[in-house]
Amino acid sequence: MKMRYFTMMMAALLLGSCDLVSPDEIVNPNVDESAFLHSDNPMETWVNGTEKELALHVSDFVQLMEILSDNYFNNYTRSSKVFDIPQLLYNDADVTALQRHVGALREMADYGLTTVAQADPSTTTADRFHLLSIKAYSFLLAGDFFLALPTENGGVLVEWKSQMQKAMEVLDQALPLAQTDEDRAFIHTLYARAAYRTGNREVATNHANQALACSGDFCRQVQFDSKNGVLNSAQEAIWGDWFQPLPRLDFLDPKYYQLSSTDQCPITIAKAEEDYLILAEAALADQHLDEAKQYLSALLRLVKQRPVQADVNDQLEGRYNGGLKAFPNDPEYRVQASPSDSLRSGLIIDRRPPHLISVAPISGTSVTQAMIDGLDNHDSALELVYLMRQEIFFAEGRRPADLGIRLPLCEVEAAHTADAATFTEAWIPAFVPRNYGLDEFTIDEKAKTVTIAHNMNRVIVENARSADVAPFE
């Protein structure tokens, strides 16, 4: 590894990592590679630091991917003001940062698996498992959100489908090292995700079933620590009033909250719900509506079993507070997902004093068993699957991949890559509304109704035969 990578990583590990040094210990920021590798238990330090970087990078992805989607609108000037449009330029600093996050996670995992492991005889199977899962996750981020990226420092560009194949190859290495059913469920779910995105129905459903066989309710999260400065940047935007949810998703906000001034909520990166969603969508692709409904019913039971945090004080959230536009803040409002959809109650919740709210920190949905039972055709069922994907993965940064949006190669990388020109323009499918259309809605104050301009879950179904969305169709 080049020295500049080591210097960057050591700065992150030694100056900001939780549980690496005691507060009263002195850290030498000029420690060199040899000194680090010959220190006590360097692998433990490296794994802890790499997991810390994973958490920080995931929170940055979540913050930006949520406003890139129809989940949230950035109502203030903090964070990106162009992802909402969506405008994704190859010289955008946020595009560059996200690409660097992917590369940093991959390089940190590789360095630990090779150099640190060779230097530290106390390296454990668990250490290797953690680093391999992080490396695989870096390829998943590349495959979900970018057109193409290198898979090694200074390497050639690899398109997104091959990034997913790389992820599966690393997951094959990680699986034998998993020591618990929860770990095995985690790896199988990531494998199912990679295969799902590439449209490989057989592999995706095989791993989804294996994941659920290992654990029917597993949930893997990245953790944060305010005491050591490991902060959830998505929480700052969502718990604060920077971001406002699309009104029909109001009941899910804020997924990240504070009961005290130091609270930092974890972010879920994999959970059993995804396996049920993959199996339901695969059943629909095989024209097995009743089977899909069974999976959706099992999924709904799981969501209802997930924890709910009661008595959250969100009273400072005025759904406007001087922002760019006002959002509804009254539970009397009924919401329709598009001008042609029926009005629904219960999607706007009352945050006004003296009301406290309940929040679903892992999964929530507005879908009911009656809605599932009433499904009578493929298209309505597929639309419901994508509604549940949107709601269940809400505030987890997953939605742009379902909408088929892909980030370009950044300018810095393009300047050093011969075949970069093909990938320097973002891919935004023609059916994705421009000019802030993803976040557009109108309010009728007299009738107490909110009308969303575009029901993107229906748009996905209408374009399911395109190469951009609904990979099993």
Side-chain angles (χ1 to χ4, degrees):
M1 171 180 286
K2 293 183 178 179
M3 183 55 66
R4 67 186 181 92
Y5 276 100
F6 178 80
T7 303
M8 174 187 72
M9 294 173 189
M10 285 308 301
L13 292 172
L14 295 179
L15 298 181
S17 184
C18 54
D19 299 326
L20 296 185
V21 292
S22 300
D24 57 347
E25 289 181 355
I26 297 174
V27 173
N28 177 6
N30 298 314
V31 63
D32 63 18
E33 183 173 9
S34 177
F36 168 71
L37 293 174
H38 290 90
S39 64
D40 291 336
N41 302 316
M43 180 58 87
E44 180 181 359
T45 299
W46 196 262
V47 170
N48 286 343
T50 305
E51 290 183 335
K52 170 244 179 180
E53 289 301 299
L54 173 66
L56 292 174
H57 295 339
V58 164
S59 68
D60 285 350
F61 262 96
V62 168
Q63 182 188 146
L64 291 166
M65 293 302 100
E66 286 300 298
I67 54 174
L68 176 55
S69 74
D70 54 338
N71 286 350
Y72 276 104
F73 174 70
N74 182 11
N75 212 26
Y76 282 83
T77 55
R78 300 183 71 176
S79 194
S80 173
K81 288 306 302 171
V82 297
F83 275 35
D84 268 319
I85 297 174
Q87 176 179 296
L88 306 169
L89 302 179
Y90 86 130
N91 58 357
D92 187 303
D94 288 319
V95 171
T96 302
L98 293 174
Q99 180 174 326
R100 285 176 172 165
H101 291 346
V102 172
L105 289 175
R106 183 193 67 242
E107 294 293 323
M108 291 183 76
D110 271 340
Y111 187 79
L113 290 164
T114 55
T115 306
V116 182
Q118 185 175 7
D120 188 351
S122 66
T123 296
T124 66
T125 297
D127 293 331
R128 291 188 174 89
F129 173 82
H130 289 311
L131 292 173
L132 283 168
S133 64
I134 290 172
K135 182 178 180 179
Y137 198 81
S138 75
F139 288 128
L140 284 169
L141 290 174
D144 261 343
F145 300 118
F146 287 89
L147 287 167
L149 289 180
T151 57
E152 58 184 16
N153 182 34
V156 299
L157 295 179
V158 176
E159 294 190 56
W160 70 268
K161 283 190 176 181
S162 295
Q163 297 279 352
M164 289 304 194
Q165 185 59 46
K166 287 279 189 181
M168 288 185 274
E169 291 170 4
V170 178
L171 292 168
D172 277 329
Q173 299 172 44
L175 188 57
L177 306 183
Q179 297 177 303
T180 68
D181 283 341
E182 291 283 310
D183 284 345
R184 282 182 278 274
F186 173 49
I187 296 301
H188 282 302
T189 299
L190 295 185
Y191 211 118
R193 181 187 306 176
Y196 165 79
R197 190 60 62 193
T198 60
N200 192 328
R201 199 184 318 168
E202 182 179 356
V203 172
T205 55
N206 178 40
H207 282 276
N209 278 314
Q210 289 190 70
L212 293 174
C214 291
S215 173
D217 63 354
F218 94 97
C219 177
R220 183 59 53 94
Q221 299 176 313
V222 292
Q223 304 290 329
F224 300 88
D225 180 0
S226 60
K227 179 181 177 181
N228 290 285
V230 185
L231 305 180
N232 181 347
S233 62
Q235 176 173 310
E236 184 179 11
I238 289 171
W239 172 244
D241 51 13
W242 308 6
F243 292 4
Q244 300 292 355
L246 197 68
R248 64 181 181 78
L249 301 170
D250 178 272
F251 71 101
L252 294 168
D253 178 76
K255 201 165 197 174
Y256 313 119
Y257 51 86
Q258 288 185 311
L259 300 180
S260 73
S261 61
T262 59
D263 281 350
Q264 290 290 303
C265 290
I267 294 177
T268 300
I269 60 173
K271 54 190 174 184
E273 286 87 334
E274 182 163 11
D275 299 299
Y276 284 114
L277 285 162
I278 288 171
L279 292 168
E281 193 167 343
L284 287 175
D286 287 331
Q287 304 301 315
H288 296 157
L289 177 60
D290 288 342
E291 182 182 352
K293 290 166 70 171
Q294 291 173 10
Y295 286 127
L296 293 176
S297 296
L299 169 62
L300 185 59
R301 289 193 294 271
L302 172 59
V303 171
K304 288 181 176 180
Q305 293 168 8
R306 290 302 194 186
V308 172
Q309 176 61 57
D311 299 329
V312 175
N313 187 336
D314 199 27
Q315 295 167 8
L316 293 179
E317 177 57 82
R319 289 291 180 240
Y320 178 57
N321 294 340
L324 300 174
K325 63 180 181 180
F327 284 67
N329 193 29
D330 186 333
E332 290 187 23
Y333 278 100
R334 294 175 297 155
V335 183
Q336 55 188 149
S338 76
S340 62
D341 278 283
S342 300
L343 288 162
R344 297 185 65 190
S345 301
L347 300 182
I348 308 293
I349 60 177
D350 200 342
R351 306 160 196 279
R352 300 167 298 180
H355 298 283
L356 302 178
I357 66 171
S358 295
V359 177
I362 295 177
S363 294
T365 184
S366 66
V367 171
T368 64
Q369 187 61 52
M371 292 169 67
I372 296 172
D373 291 341
L375 295 172
D376 60 4
N377 64 77
H378 171 278
D379 284 2
S380 64
L382 187 60
E383 182 179 335
L384 191 75
V385 166
Y386 276 92
L387 173 60
M388 295 187 80
R389 284 185 68 91
Q390 183 177 25
E391 293 179 342
I392 286 168
F393 297 142
F394 179 72
E396 294 176 13
R398 302 286 303 279
R399 181 67 166 176
D402 280 353
L403 295 174
I405 299 172
R406 294 191 174 278
L407 300 173
L409 186 72
C410 76
E411 183 178 26
V412 175
E413 190 70 45
H416 299 89
T417 308
D419 56 346
T422 308
F423 305 110
T424 53
E425 185 174 342
W427 181 253
I428 304 173
F431 52 78
V432 172
R434 270 53 168 188
N435 196 26
Y436 301 101
L438 282 170
D439 305 304
E440 185 181 350
F441 62 88
T442 56
I443 299 177
D444 186 328
E445 295 184 5
K446 184 177 180 179
K448 292 289 185 181
T449 60
V450 180
T451 302
I452 310 298
H454 305 282
N455 180 348
M456 291 307 297
N457 297 309
R458 183 166 301 143
V459 172
I460 289 171
V461 175
E462 291 169 347
N463 292 275
R465 301 291 175 158
S466 77
D468 300 307
V469 293
F472 287 163
E473 292 296 312

